Amino acid sequence: MAAPGAAEPAPVASGPARRFWSARRVPAALVALVLLGAGGLLLYDVAAVRAGRTAMAWRRRLAHELTVRHLDDPWVLGAAAAALALGIWLLVLAATPGLRTVLPMRRTAPGVRAGLDRSAAALVLRDRAMEVAGVQAVRLTVGRRRARARALAHFRELEAVRGDLTTVLGDGLRQLGLTRRLRLTVDVRRPKRR
């Protein structure tokens, strides 16, 4: 415990806190199972042909189709496009973090990474916004780069409520401890009359 009057420890600068990567176990398991099944079936058929049996019907049919069809055939082009789309999709999955709902927080201790879910950040900011005088209701959305507040004010001037909301939510965003400072957009309106 720090002595009274001592300064708080400064945040540890151990490199930038990057986004969290998802494990992607399901796509990896599906691709592995498909490749394992296809490879096992092909290996079994090749071993059976080497042992003197005839090739399976699907392999004879595939060999026949490859000899008959030309490269500009719609079926060949469609299969190539599907294989290309699948390959691009797998490359994108491999090269992107994936956990878009977790916002990285500043590091305050070496070896510790923390993240805050965007919906939790929106809930904390919404609770702070509801404490502002004149706010009847507020809806907050937190993205990766900005936070947007849409509030309904029922008895104070709109500009006064907007100024107070901007101040309170700006302080709230700073206190969340996120690595990237989110841009704040505040929209204040009167409720619709019935």
Side-chain angles (χ1 to χ4, degrees):
M1 186 165 191
E8 291 186 21
V12 176
S14 59
R18 298 202 172 125
R19 288 178 49 200
F20 290 86
W21 286 70
S22 64
R24 293 190 177 91
R25 290 181 181 94
V26 174
L30 289 176
V31 169
L33 285 174
V34 168
L35 290 177
L36 182 67
L41 189 63
L42 183 64
L43 184 63
Y44 172 78
D45 192 43
V46 168
V49 168
R50 293 288 182 191
R53 295 187 182 152
T54 60
M56 290 184 172
W58 65 268
R59 202 170 118 194
R60 288 193 308 260
R61 168 84 182 200
L62 181 62
H64 174 71
E65 290 294 328
L66 288 174
T67 58
V68 172
R69 294 191 186 269
H70 298 288
L71 290 179
D72 60 351
D73 188 83
W75 284 100
V76 174
L77 293 175
L84 177 69
L86 178 65
I88 290 173
W89 178 63
L90 290 174
L91 285 174
V92 166
L93 282 180
T96 56
L99 286 178
R100 300 174 64 88
T101 61
V102 178
L103 298 170
M105 299 175 71
R106 285 190 301 269
R107 291 185 178 211
T108 56
V112 177
R113 289 186 66 203
L116 182 64
D117 191 73
R118 290 193 309 198
S119 60
L123 186 63
V124 168
L125 293 174
R126 186 191 66 81
D127 288 346
R128 293 195 72 167
M130 288 302 294
E131 294 174 358
V132 173
V135 174
Q136 180 181 6
V138 66
R139 194 172 87 197
L140 255 134
T141 55
V142 175
R144 287 180 31 226
R145 291 188 173 87
R146 75 176 182 167
R148 181 174 184 148
R150 294 184 187 115
L152 296 177
H154 57 98
F155 66 84
R156 287 178 63 203
E157 291 295 324
L158 294 181
E159 288 304 317
V161 174
R162 182 178 291 113
D164 289 350
L165 268 177
T166 303
T167 303
V168 166
L169 292 177
D171 290 342
L173 283 172
R174 276 189 294 282
Q175 290 175 0
L176 286 179
L178 303 175
T179 56
R180 174 181 284 170
R181 178 77 187 263
L182 301 179
R183 286 190 328 243
L184 178 64
T185 305
V186 178
D187 183 27
V188 180
R189 295 181 183 177
R190 295 271 183 226
K192 292 180 181 177
R193 296 191 180 197
R194 295 180 185 178

